[in-house]
Amino acid sequence: MNIENRTSISCFLWILFICTINGQEKLITKDDVVALALENNFGIKVAKNQVIIADNNASILNSGYLPTLTGNASANYQRDDNSIEFPGQFTNDGAPREDANLYKAEAQNYSTSLNASYVLFDGLNRFYNYKQLKEQYQLTELQARETIENTIVQLFSVYFELARLSENEKVLQQTLEISTQRFKRAEYAFEYGQSTKLDILNAQVDITNDSINLLNTQQQLANTKRDLGVLIDQDLNQDFKVDTVVEFIPKLKIEEYVSEANLNNVALLQAERNLAINAYDIKVSKSGYLPTINLTGAYGWNLNQSAASVFFPGTNSNNTRDFGLGASLRWNLFDGGSTNVRVKNAKIAYQNQELLKKQVALEVNRDIKNAQGVYENLLNIYQIQEQNVITNTNNFERSKEQFQLGRITSIEFRQAQINLLNAQTNKNLAKYDAKLSELQLLQLIGQLLNVAF
């Protein structure tokens, strides 16, 4: 056997060894990748944090319904050193006049207070604001759901590509094995004078091409595994294999889901929440027509100790406690028309949101019909490709028999082999295209998170 032949066989054995190792890889199922994505995907994590923020905003602590309580405290210290000179040297009694001196004259002041305030009525502004925040929370939940659905579709587009490449790898491996067997047969036939050197060269060329195709597929497989690792935040060097079993949802079940699409489509649900938010905007704006009533309460304590002076030689102390309750009413009888403008603009915004909802409904209905048509078409193509594989398998087996009997040439045998290879890879492509289109349809009809993958 010459060097070129040994190289071809060595290449084949190396590829076979790699495939054997791949057969020992850990299996990651569809449920596994969904669970990992829900737990680790960065986009989903951000969406979940947005829901937490919206939940915090919609809590009673952010509603304005609770009173406010503030505390104040202060302390002041003062020290004076004074020297007072009186005019004249003698008093009225003729006694020598003495100057008045005050050293280390200290004074302190301490005070503290508690002030409570409560809005008893604000024209229902906080009531509708609170309702609006609840709607905003539900909208954020729907936005998070949309992010999760988009991530799952993206996830399975990569997962199914992995499955397709895995199946193609097996097909190419079988093709390489057949080409290697043909190469050996051509060598034996040449040794016994039953064929020419051209048959060996043709077989060797086919081995080279099949080896290159297999190596390219394996490289694509490795790259796609890393793409999946990014989506589920896993080690990019981790090796694994995926599940290649695909099951389709029955047609009657799909039709039942489609009939309920208007109740479950996430875009339509978001449009409804936005409409509700705009409705509360109108009510919040109208609250400016009504008065505001506030209740207040206060408690204060003050201690004032003043220093001794010339006229008041003793230390003076003043200790007071204050209590207070009050109520106030504020009614903006005319604000220059700004409230009226806000109400009008809020009503126009509500009308715009109604128009957007109608537009979304039309677009969703169109997208569902298109997706349903694409899905059914791809299912039909998959069924045709399945039958095509059966036909080409029978043709290949018959061509193999004829080739072994010497009734057809190696070129004709190779053509039958290529036809079978194309049929098998086309069937793999059609299968995963159909399944991915099913998931996209399920997303549009709002059932993606309610079915088994």
Side-chain angles (χ1 to χ4, degrees), residues 27 47 118 151 157 181 196 201 243 293 312-314 435 441:
L27 174 66
Y118 183 70
T151 302
S157 68
Q181 292 171 2
T196 64
L201 294 175
D243 185 9
I293 301 175
F312 299 97
K435 185 60 181 178
L441 175 59

Short mmCIF file of all heavy atoms in Angstrom, two decimals, residues 27 47 118 151 157 181 196 201 243 293 312-314 435 441:
data_model
loop_
_atom_site.label_atom_id
_atom_site.label_comp_id
_atom_site.label_asym_id
_atom_site.label_seq_id
_atom_site.Cartn_x
_atom_site.Cartn_y
_atom_site.Cartn_z
N LEU A 27 -25.40 13.66 27.66
CA LEU A 27 -26.60 14.07 26.94
C LEU A 27 -27.27 15.23 27.67
O LEU A 27 -27.54 15.16 28.87
CB LEU A 27 -27.57 12.89 26.82
CG LEU A 27 -28.95 13.21 26.21
CD1 LEU A 27 -28.79 13.61 24.75
CD2 LEU A 27 -29.90 12.03 26.35
N ALA A 47 -34.59 40.60 32.78
CA ALA A 47 -36.05 40.71 32.73
C ALA A 47 -36.68 40.41 34.09
O ALA A 47 -37.62 41.10 34.53
CB ALA A 47 -36.61 39.76 31.67
N TYR A 118 -50.27 63.61 57.04
CA TYR A 118 -51.02 62.59 56.29
C TYR A 118 -51.96 63.28 55.32
O TYR A 118 -52.70 64.22 55.69
CB TYR A 118 -51.82 61.69 57.24
CG TYR A 118 -52.55 60.59 56.52
CD1 TYR A 118 -51.86 59.55 55.93
CD2 TYR A 118 -53.94 60.63 56.40
CE1 TYR A 118 -52.53 58.53 55.25
CE2 TYR A 118 -54.63 59.63 55.72
CZ TYR A 118 -53.92 58.58 55.15
OH TYR A 118 -54.58 57.60 54.47
N THR A 151 -36.10 34.15 24.01
CA THR A 151 -34.87 33.43 24.35
C THR A 151 -35.01 31.94 24.09
O THR A 151 -34.08 31.29 23.60
CB THR A 151 -34.51 33.67 25.83
OG1 THR A 151 -34.36 35.08 26.06
CG2 THR A 151 -33.21 32.96 26.20
N SER A 157 -33.36 27.27 18.29
CA SER A 157 -32.78 27.39 16.96
C SER A 157 -31.33 26.89 16.97
O SER A 157 -30.87 26.25 16.01
CB SER A 157 -32.85 28.83 16.47
OG SER A 157 -31.99 29.67 17.24
N GLN A 181 -14.66 1.33 2.20
CA GLN A 181 -14.86 -0.05 1.76
C GLN A 181 -14.69 -0.17 0.23
O GLN A 181 -14.11 -1.13 -0.28
CB GLN A 181 -16.25 -0.53 2.17
CG GLN A 181 -16.41 -0.70 3.68
CD GLN A 181 -17.84 -0.96 4.08
OE1 GLN A 181 -18.73 -1.07 3.23
NE2 GLN A 181 -18.08 -1.06 5.39
N THR A 196 -8.91 -1.12 -13.04
CA THR A 196 -7.77 -0.26 -13.38
C THR A 196 -7.41 0.64 -12.19
O THR A 196 -8.13 0.71 -11.20
CB THR A 196 -8.11 0.63 -14.58
OG1 THR A 196 -9.19 1.51 -14.22
CG2 THR A 196 -8.55 -0.22 -15.78
N LEU A 201 -8.04 5.56 -7.76
CA LEU A 201 -7.92 7.01 -7.64
C LEU A 201 -9.27 7.66 -7.39
O LEU A 201 -9.40 8.58 -6.58
CB LEU A 201 -7.27 7.58 -8.90
CG LEU A 201 -5.81 7.16 -9.14
CD1 LEU A 201 -5.32 7.69 -10.49
CD2 LEU A 201 -4.91 7.65 -8.01
N ASP A 243 -30.37 15.74 22.23
CA ASP A 243 -31.42 14.79 21.88
C ASP A 243 -31.89 15.06 20.45
O ASP A 243 -32.25 16.19 20.11
CB ASP A 243 -32.57 14.94 22.87
CG ASP A 243 -33.67 13.90 22.65
OD1 ASP A 243 -33.45 12.96 21.85
OD2 ASP A 243 -34.73 14.03 23.28
N ILE A 293 -56.78 67.57 51.05
CA ILE A 293 -56.93 67.77 52.49
C ILE A 293 -55.77 67.09 53.19
O ILE A 293 -55.52 65.90 52.98
CB ILE A 293 -58.28 67.19 53.00
CG1 ILE A 293 -59.45 67.87 52.29
CG2 ILE A 293 -58.40 67.37 54.51
CD1 ILE A 293 -60.80 67.28 52.65
N PHE A 312 -29.36 90.09 85.78
CA PHE A 312 -29.99 88.86 86.27
C PHE A 312 -28.89 87.91 86.70
O PHE A 312 -28.39 87.11 85.90
CB PHE A 312 -30.84 88.21 85.18
CG PHE A 312 -31.96 89.08 84.70
CD1 PHE A 312 -31.81 89.84 83.55
CD2 PHE A 312 -33.15 89.18 85.40
CE1 PHE A 312 -32.83 90.66 83.10
CE2 PHE A 312 -34.18 89.99 84.95
CZ PHE A 312 -34.03 90.74 83.80
N PRO A 313 -28.42 88.05 87.90
CA PRO A 313 -27.24 87.28 88.33
C PRO A 313 -27.47 85.78 88.39
O PRO A 313 -26.54 85.01 88.29
CB PRO A 313 -26.94 87.87 89.71
CG PRO A 313 -28.24 88.47 90.18
CD PRO A 313 -28.95 88.96 88.96
N GLY A 314 -28.65 85.34 88.55
CA GLY A 314 -28.92 83.90 88.63
C GLY A 314 -29.07 83.27 87.24
O GLY A 314 -29.38 83.94 86.26
N LYS A 435 -39.93 21.66 13.16
CA LYS A 435 -40.10 21.76 14.62
C LYS A 435 -39.87 23.18 15.10
O LYS A 435 -40.62 23.69 15.97
CB LYS A 435 -39.12 20.81 15.32
CG LYS A 435 -39.30 20.75 16.83
CD LYS A 435 -40.70 20.28 17.22
CE LYS A 435 -40.89 20.25 18.73
NZ LYS A 435 -42.26 19.84 19.11
N LEU A 441 -44.80 29.23 15.91
CA LEU A 441 -46.26 29.33 15.89
C LEU A 441 -46.81 29.31 17.32
O LEU A 441 -47.71 30.08 17.67
CB LEU A 441 -46.84 28.18 15.07
CG LEU A 441 -48.37 28.08 15.03
CD1 LEU A 441 -49.00 29.35 14.46
CD2 LEU A 441 -48.82 26.86 14.24
#
